[in-house]
Amino acid sequence: MLAGAVLVAASAGLSLAQEVTSSRELLKTVAAQYPSVLKRRGIGGTVKLRVLVNANGTVKDAQVLGGNPILADCAVKAVKQWVFVSSEKEESIEISVGFDPNSAGE
């Protein structure tokens, strides 16, 4: 099992990164889609989420703790598709998804 903060690389060209604070290992991630109009205008930032993960490893719910509302929606849609290793109980996990308009790719 992984402990502490784990930085998960996003798919190439999407200009974002995810940070997960949990002891549960990630089995599947889906990168958030960065709206091209926001990237072109230099609008970026970090979205913080509190995610409730079912015992079976699927995401039950995601609550936005902070960040740009448009980017938050993109982050929630992606994180709800993530899958974690199964556990004996539900777990609340904090996740940060960063959107960097200065990164290469589109």
Side-chain angles (χ1 to χ4, degrees):
M1 290 268 203
L2 301 175
V6 178
L7 188 62
V8 180
S11 297
L14 291 181
S15 307
L16 52 89
Q18 297 113 13
E19 184 177 323
V20 181
T21 303
S22 172
S23 60
R24 285 176 85 165
E25 186 177 348
L26 268 165
L27 295 176
K28 174 188 167 193
T29 61
V30 173
Q33 297 301 305
Y34 196 161
S36 58
V37 67
L38 296 182
K39 184 172 179 168
R40 281 194 305 273
R41 292 183 179 180
I43 299 171
T46 301
V47 175
K48 294 188 181 204
L49 304 172
R50 179 172 294 124
V51 177
L52 183 59
V53 180
N54 287 313
N56 69 5
T58 60
V59 174
K60 182 175 184 177
D61 191 34
Q63 175 186 6
V64 177
L65 300 178
N68 179 305
I70 296 171
L71 295 175
D73 185 51
C74 297
V76 167
K77 285 179 184 176
V79 168
K80 282 188 172 183
Q81 299 176 67
W82 289 15
V83 179
F84 293 80
V85 170
S86 296
S87 177
E88 293 182 14
K89 59 181 175 139
E90 288 185 349
E91 181 180 357
S92 180
I93 297 172
E94 289 196 11
I95 298 174
S96 294
V97 180
F99 295 83
D100 183 358
N102 298 314
S103 292
E106 188 81 29

